[in-house]
Structure formats: C-alpha cells, structure tokens
Amino acid sequence: MTTVKDLPQEDYFLSGHTACPGCGGAMVVRETMKVLGANTVVYMPASCLLIFSDMYPYNAFKVPSLQVLFETSAICASGIKRALKRQGKDDVTVVAFAGDGGTADIGMQALSGAAERNEDILYVCYDNEAYMNTGIQRSGTTPFGAWTTTTPLGGTSEGRGKNEFKKDVPRILMAHDVPYVATASLGFPADFLRKLEKAKAKKGFRYLHVLAPCPVGWRAESDTTVDLAKLAVETGIFTLMECEDGVLTLNREPRFTPVREYLKLQGRFKHLKDDQIAAIETWVKEKWERDRALAKALGPKPKVPVAMTK
Amino acid sequence: MIEARTATAGERHMVTGDYAAAWGAMVSRPQVIAAYPITPQTMIIEHLAEFLAAGKLDAEMMRVESEHSAMSAVVAAEATGVRTYTATSSQGLALMHEPLFISPPMHLPIVMSVVNRTVASPLGIWVEHNDTMPQRDTGWMQVYVEDAQEALDMVLQAYRVAENPSVELPMMIGMDAFLVSHTIESVDLISQEAADKFLPPFKPVHAYLDPERPLVVGAAAPPEYIQEVRWETDLRMRRAAEFLEETDREFGRTFGRTYGGAFETYRLEDADAALMTLGTVTSTAREVVDRLRGQGERVGLIKLRSFRPFPADRLQDATAHLKAFGVYDRAVSYGVGGPSYIEARNALYDTTTMPILGFLAGLGGRDVTPQDVELMFKKTLGAVGRGRRASGVHWIGTRGVSP
C-alpha cells in the first residue's frame, strides 16, 4: 500500500494552475492524479477546476481532458470510456472531477443513470459545500446554518444561513449498489490514498466523495484547509466510510471533538446562535446512530449455512 | 414486421421509416449509440437494440436516462474518436438544446435522426417542425426527408458530409412524425457491403482523447479566442453546402438514387409561380402541380432538403425566372412567420423584387390536403405582377380564421 511518502514525484496535475491559496479542490485533483497516472482521461464540468486548470491557452493536466457541460460529468466520462473500449483501450482510466453543485444538484440525474448502468468510470466529487466558482451560493451539500451569498444574514428566519441540512450523496450512490462508494478527507491522506488505489483497481462504477475545504467560501484562513478537513472528521460532521461490493465499513471512529471547535474557525458560521449549534450537535449524533446502524446492517455477510443453500 | 426484422440486406422490404433510419444507422457502423425513447422515435432505437441482440450490429449501445445525456454521451464518444449515432423527437430535442451547441465548434460530426414532432404546449405527438427549426443556430446541419427510403439514404449521406475534413459538423435528419416514421413503404435496405463502399471507416483527423497524445478538448476561453472559433465554425457551415451536393451526386452514382442535393425541383423551369415545401407535404404538392398544370397554370415546386446550410445561392438561380414565390412551413416563429419563409426572403432579397408569400399549415400534425396546397398556389399566382407589397404570411385551414 502506498503511503504519502511513497507517492510518485511526478505530477499529472501541474503547478501553475490558478487556484486560490489553500484550495482543497486542487489538492484533491493533484493527489488523485498522482495515483491514477499517465494512462488516464479526465472529464471536468464547468467548475472552479475548469477555470483554474484549463483556461485557453493554458492547461494544467498532463493527460487528455474534456469539458462539455456542467451537468454531464458522469455521462461524458461514460461516453469516453465506451469509445475507448471500442478502440481497444479499455485499460485507460476515465475519471470525472466535479464539485458538489455539479454532483449533488444539477449533475444528479446523469450521475444516477451512470451508476445504475454501472459504467466503468471513477467519479470524484470534491465537495467544497457551495457553488464557489460562481461566488459562494448554497448547494445541496452546504451544511446547516452556513452563510452563503444566497443564504445571507438578516433579521428574519430566512436570514440565519442555510435552513436545511447537507444532502448525503454517498448514501444515494450506495442505493445504486455500485462496486465502490467511499468518502475521504484531505485531513486523512493515507486513508484517501488507500481509497484511490482501491478505486483505480476496481472495474465498474466507483464514487469518491472528498471533503475539500474552500478557504474563500468558508471564510477561513488559507492555511487551515487540512486542519478543517481533519476537524470535520474528528467532530463527526464528516464520516469516513467505504462501501465495497455492498459491504459498508466506517473507517474512523472520531474523537467527537465539540463541533464548536470546527465551526469557530470559519466565518461562514460565525453568526450561529446556540439553538443552531445545538441543532448541528443533534444532527451529528443522529447521523452517527444511523451510519452505525447502516454499517451493522450492511456489514460483512455471514457465510450462508450449508443447510440453507439446498 | 417480424419478416422485416430478419430481412436480408440489399433487398426491397416493406418497412417503416423508423426501421429504415435504424437500418441506415446500422450499416453506417457507428461505434457508440446513445439514445432515450420518445414517441415517435422509439422504433428507431428498438430496432437498433434488436439488431444488436441479433448480432447484426456491433456497437456500444448506451440506454441512457435522458436526451440531455444521450447527446452528451455521443459528444464525449465522438471526442474520443469514434463514429456515433443518436435519434430523438420533439421534447427530447428541446432537452438536447444545451449539448447541441457543443459539437459544431469541437468538429464532432455526430449524425442524428430526428422524428419531427410537436413541441408542447399543447402536448402533441404529431408532425410539426417546431422541434428542429429552433435549433437552427446551434451549428448543426439540418436536412429534411420525404419518405422512408430517403430517411435511410440520408443517414449514409449525412456521415459522408459531416465527416468531410472540410466540414466536420454534426447533422440532424428531420423525418415527419408518423407520415414517415410509422408509414410502411417499400424500401431498398442497402447491404452492409454496399454501405461500406460508400462510407469508409471514420478516422478523426484533429483533436481526440488519447493518453498517447494528451490534449485538451473543450476547455474555457477568454474573449481573445472565442470569436475566431465562431468564424471558423461559420466557414465550415458555408463550405458544407458544396459537399452536400457532391455527396448526393456520388450517392446517385453508387445507388442509382439522388435527391437533388440541397433542394430538388419539379416542373420549375418554365413556371411563373412556384411553391417551396419541405418534408412529406412535398408528395402532395407534386400531385397539385400536375393537376394545376393540366388546367394550364404554369406552376412549379421546390422541395427544400437542406435548411442548414441554407442554399441561398442556388435558390437565387433557381427562382430567377419566377414572378411569384410561395414558401410553406410547418412551424411558426411567432409574430413573424415560418422559418424557411424567413430564410427564403433573406436569401432572395438581393436578386428579386417578386412577391414572396409565406404559408403556415398542418401545424400540430393536422393533415395538409391537396385543397390546402392548391390554395397556396392560387394565392401565389394571384400575387404575380403585384410586387413585394403582395408578400405576407397566410395561415391555411385555421378554424374560424382562414380557409
């Protein structure tokens, strides 16, 4: 198994791209490309990634890349893969990198379709919890209470940040019974690398949901990206899990650091009142109860007794 | 039908227009097909699935979850360097509107059969051209066919034109809902061998996705670069007109059938007044021309096939001797008139001062009868000698409004 130290020196996502300082999305892409290597084709939708990596005449990828539309990541990656298969190049890995808006919201239909058909692609969602490229608008994965430019602050119940909780995209993908669904955090690179290697080796539809803090959108210091990604896991807000061929494993039992430790580092949460923080604490507790129950239900299958196989 | 499904290639069989289009697609050897079902296109993809199941078709067939994904899938596959095919209708094409814009600047010669059907509201499943005509400015070539044989032949021709290195534009082939798609006609099902001789394998010459030769396809671009892309795409659309004619002639040499290229004329040479039609109404209009000629009226017909590229130069020459010209449309640009009427007026503005009349009939799939077409001719003949002021848009057969 590769450790961070064993990662190849060679990059396929190169420096010189124009991402903001501390961009979690760029780190997700760089690490992923180190594992996937040269024999890869990349698809990216309209997104931060496209703008900071492929604005003509510049290109940050050392492998071929395609951009079509915002909501077409899963289907275009599938189309590329089908064509490569016809050309006898089935060994090429096709990866789609999309943000949370392109995945959880506008891209969900194509994502679900590709998962249902078990298209042979790797889909990496870098989740920075809002539409960052267009200027920090709320998405389906924006957490409860977060300020965004479309959930601004004001004197009414509509002015307390986002009123809904984060959409659980990995759980939606798990319902498609695909070969591999996993979450990862930039705060736990060894776990992320292990999952990337596993995802690369598997055939069929593979989904990685990676928490990718955005200092600009989260109103945080640009040197806190990795700390925030760690704290999200240790507070229990973001669960590290993987579902491999139907068997769900929770990869890390968090320390359950108080959520306030995570929230206070981010300007997007600084307006939160005690009742909102209490709601987040309750949400974390209930999420873990549910995730544990799910992991138990979807744990390793007991061997079928001989008598029952007749 | 069952007999037709197991038909031996290269023979005449009684099949539907949808079957003919599917056959045309099969013998064109697309490598990736992606489609989503919509009435009345459904039989095209059903037959392709049957050909695949029977081992007659060797392709990746993607049964996707929407038309938006169908078009996006063939865009991505074509960008990877293989020949692709899809088919749709009506709302499906409307949903494809966004990805339609992608392939022309990217030089992706996708071919798509579109069974022309009403776009809601109100919802209807019958023929209208208000699905394809609003796609005029996407950069797709558009050709309209009259019958099942032409629906088949045009698929082969479409690939030849679209994949020409000087063109490299996608093409949609419009075929009228039910009147072509579901009508059973005697069709020459071109054999694979003959199709292969006419249509060589696809070899992408420019950008395609290959890890051996990494490059960016798509990308974002600032204002410093996009206008040149638009200019270059426009240039290829203008060039396409020539290759459309050439391909039809070569098809004729190979198969013994031609369609006149961008348009076909009928008894036009000595006509005083002529009507331009597209789609199945043309068959009715030919009969009406014969009948009116029998009565001593000097009338002729132009069957418009290519809406994009629009054959402006040829149309100027073909209509130079006319004294009045009528243009029939099965779609309306609200507040203005029929789309091909608008195109014809624009094309002929520099070369003629004759009256050009627009006719709207058969919208929503209503029958266009010989009496309707005769009325169009009569109105056009009535405008002879009256100059441009006699031009205008006429609704034919609108209940309570017009005869």
Side-chain angles (χ1 to χ4, degrees):
Chain A
M1 188 185 298
T2 310
T3 67
V4 180
K5 276 195 272 184
D6 300 327
L7 272 176
Q9 284 290 309
E10 179 144 25
D11 271 310
Y12 297 91
F13 181 68
L14 305 167
S15 64
H17 63 74
T18 57
C20 309
C23 172
M27 291 165 71
V28 169
V29 173
R30 184 178 173 209
E31 284 191 47
T32 304
M33 289 313 301
K34 273 185 180 286
V35 174
L36 298 186
N39 201 24
T40 304
V41 176
V42 169
Y43 177 86
M44 68 195 112
S47 55
C48 284
L49 173 61
L50 172 70
I51 301 307
F52 68 65
S53 69
D54 266 5
M55 175 65 84
Y56 188 83
Y58 302 105
N59 164 37
F61 282 97
K62 225 173 164 177
V63 298
S65 64
L66 175 70
Q67 190 272 326
V68 176
L69 292 165
F70 194 10
E71 66 273 49
T72 53
S73 302
I75 187 63
C76 286
S78 305
I80 295 167
K81 183 66 191 191
R82 298 282 195 124
L84 287 168
K85 200 174 153 198
R86 290 297 301 181
Q87 294 167 320
K89 302 177 200 165
D90 202 18
D91 59 317
V92 178
T93 302
V94 180
V95 62
F97 291 109
D100 46 291
T103 301
D105 297 344
I106 198 168
M108 182 53 79
Q109 179 173 315
L111 179 61
S112 174
E116 181 269 327
R117 294 188 303 274
N118 198 27
E119 300 281 357
D120 186 22
I121 61 168
L122 169 58
Y123 191 108
V124 178
C125 170
Y126 66 98
D127 181 5
N128 53 26
E129 300 191 324
Y131 291 86
M132 296 311 186
N133 192 41
T134 44
I136 325 172
Q137 293 84 23
R138 65 86 91 183
S139 79
T141 73
T142 300
F144 173 84
W147 162 89
T148 68
T149 55
T150 51
T151 53
L153 305 181
T156 70
S157 61
E158 281 290 320
R160 307 181 77 204
K162 189 185 175 190
N163 281 330
E164 301 80 23
F165 286 90
K166 185 182 178 88
K167 186 191 277 193
D168 191 342
V169 182
R171 196 148 53 101
I172 298 172
L173 269 296
M174 279 170 57
H176 291 74
D177 293 330
V178 292
Y180 196 61
V181 176
T183 63
S185 160
L186 286 171
F188 294 85
D191 176 76
F192 181 26
L193 290 175
R194 184 180 63 78
K195 286 168 176 172
L196 278 172
E197 285 180 333
K198 198 176 268 187
K200 185 189 178 185
K202 278 187 174 292
K203 293 289 281 181
F205 193 88
R206 295 144 283 158
Y207 179 80
L208 270 178
H209 193 101
V210 192
L211 187 68
C214 168
V216 176
W218 293 15
R219 294 294 191 248
E221 294 301 321
S222 61
D223 60 357
T224 59
T225 302
V226 174
D227 294 340
L228 286 170
K230 251 184 214 166
L231 268 174
V233 172
E234 294 296 24
T235 51
I237 282 176
F238 190 84
T239 306
L240 291 182
M241 50 73 74
E242 66 189 317
C243 187
E244 191 176 357
D245 301 319
V247 177
L248 174 64
T249 310
L250 303 183
N251 300 113
R252 184 175 175 87
E253 179 67 20
R255 294 176 189 161
F256 290 107
T257 309
V259 296
R260 285 174 194 271
E261 299 298 314
Y262 175 65
L263 303 175
K264 74 179 186 192
L265 294 174
Q266 304 170 55
R268 62 174 175 162
F269 292 120
K270 75 174 177 201
H271 59 281
L272 290 190
K273 299 281 187 292
D274 285 347
D275 66 310
Q276 288 172 295
I277 293 172
I280 294 171
E281 286 166 347
T282 305
W283 177 81
V284 169
K285 186 167 162 283
E286 287 175 354
K287 183 164 83 76
W288 274 91
E289 280 167 10
R290 188 198 71 211
D291 286 353
R292 287 201 175 100
L294 259 179
K296 196 172 171 190
L298 302 177
K301 307 287 181 291
K303 288 214 167 66
V304 180
V306 179
M308 286 178 69
T309 59
K310 284 180 184 167
Chain B
M1 208 54 203
I2 288 161
E3 251 180 78
R5 280 174 186 174
T6 55
T8 315
E11 295 172 3
R12 293 201 81 83
H13 284 273
M14 296 299 289
V15 298
T16 62
D18 273 2
Y19 189 97
W23 189 278
M26 174 178 70
V27 297
S28 298
R29 296 188 188 274
Q31 299 294 298
V32 173
I33 299 166
Y36 184 82
I38 179 168
T39 301
Q41 153 266 31
T42 37
M43 292 194 300
I44 297 178
I45 60 170
E46 286 169 2
H47 290 312
L48 284 169
E50 289 160 12
F51 298 155
L52 188 77
K56 289 155 80 172
L57 170 68
D58 182 20
E60 286 288 314
M61 188 157 176
M62 303 175 71
R63 286 90 163 178
V64 296
E65 77 292 335
S66 77
E67 288 91 353
H68 194 283
S69 280
M71 181 49 60
S72 301
V74 293
V75 163
E78 193 85 36
T80 312
V82 302
R83 184 176 288 159
T84 63
Y85 177 80
T86 185
T88 192
S89 277
S90 181
Q91 313 295 145
L93 187 65
L95 188 58
M96 282 182 182
H97 181 65
E98 189 193 22
L100 283 184
F101 284 93
I102 301 295
S103 46
M106 275 198 201
H107 290 243
L108 303 178
I110 298 159
V111 170
M112 166 165 66
S113 298
V114 180
V115 182
N116 286 113
R117 169 193 145 177
T118 287
V119 176
S121 69
L123 187 149
I125 58 170
W126 296 274
V127 60
E128 193 167 339
H129 295 151
N130 68 340
D131 51 0
T132 43
M133 290 200 161
Q135 311 304 337
R136 182 191 68 177
D137 298 336
T138 56
W140 278 66
M141 296 185 283
Q142 284 194 22
V143 166
Y144 293 80
V145 304
E146 187 183 345
D147 56 31
Q149 185 70 60
E150 196 178 357
L152 188 164
D153 294 347
M154 241 354 260
V155 177
L156 281 162
Q157 288 201 27
Y159 282 112
R160 275 289 294 264
V161 179
E163 293 173 1
N164 186 303
S166 300
V167 178
E168 290 183 337
L169 287 172
M171 184 185 278
M172 62 177 79
I173 304 158
M175 43 198 277
D176 287 357
F178 299 103
L179 301 175
V180 175
S181 68
H182 284 58
T183 303
I184 295 174
E185 298 178 83
S186 173
V187 175
D188 170 19
L189 297 177
I190 290 172
S191 73
Q192 186 65 65
E193 198 186 358
D196 287 345
K197 275 183 193 154
F198 179 75
L199 181 65
F202 174 56
K203 284 196 187 73
V205 288
H206 298 302
Y208 57 94
L209 300 165
D210 178 7
E212 299 288 318
R213 203 183 68 145
L215 41 78
V216 180
V217 183
E224 286 83 347
Y225 300 102
I226 291 186
Q227 186 164 317
E228 286 69 27
V229 175
R230 300 283 174 265
W231 176 87
E232 192 269 349
T233 307
D234 180 75
L235 182 71
R236 285 183 285 127
M237 182 63 87
R238 288 169 189 277
R239 277 191 202 137
E242 177 195 336
F243 296 106
L244 197 90
E245 306 287 341
E246 189 183 296
T247 301
D248 188 47
R249 285 194 294 271
E250 190 174 337
F251 188 88
R253 286 192 288 274
T254 310
F255 297 101
R257 289 186 295 275
T258 58
Y259 297 96
F263 61 80
E264 181 193 82
T265 60
Y266 184 67
R267 302 188 80 166
L268 186 70
E269 297 73 23
D270 61 341
D272 291 333
L275 187 67
M276 184 161 81
T277 57
L278 77 176
T280 51
V281 169
T282 308
S283 311
T284 310
R286 275 197 205 91
E287 298 292 321
V288 175
V289 166
D290 288 346
R291 192 194 300 172
L292 290 174
R293 284 272 178 177
Q295 294 166 13
E297 303 283 9
R298 285 149 68 96
V299 292
L301 183 67
I302 293 175
K303 170 193 171 185
L304 180 67
R305 300 181 68 249
S306 176
F307 185 64
R308 276 292 179 279
F310 192 82
D313 294 346
R314 258 194 76 194
L315 198 63
Q316 288 171 358
D317 294 341
T319 58
H321 64 290
L322 293 176
K323 294 170 182 159
F325 191 39
V327 181
Y328 164 75
D329 273 290
R330 209 160 200 157
V332 57
S333 179
Y334 295 120
V336 183
S340 49
Y341 163 71
I342 297 168
E343 295 291 337
R345 297 252 294 172
N346 182 51
L348 301 181
Y349 179 83
D350 296 333
T351 53
T352 182
T353 53
M354 71 176 165
I356 303 172
L357 289 73
F359 298 108
L360 295 165
L363 304 188
R366 182 171 301 180
D367 283 346
V368 180
T369 65
Q371 290 73 32
D372 293 333
V373 177
E374 195 172 320
L375 185 60
M376 297 177 208
F377 275 112
K378 289 278 160 70
K379 282 181 182 288
T380 308
L381 282 165
V384 169
R386 291 173 55 205
R388 275 192 181 148
R389 286 194 177 277
S391 300
V393 177
H394 303 263
W395 291 73
I396 304 293
T398 317
R399 191 179 297 111
V401 175
S402 60

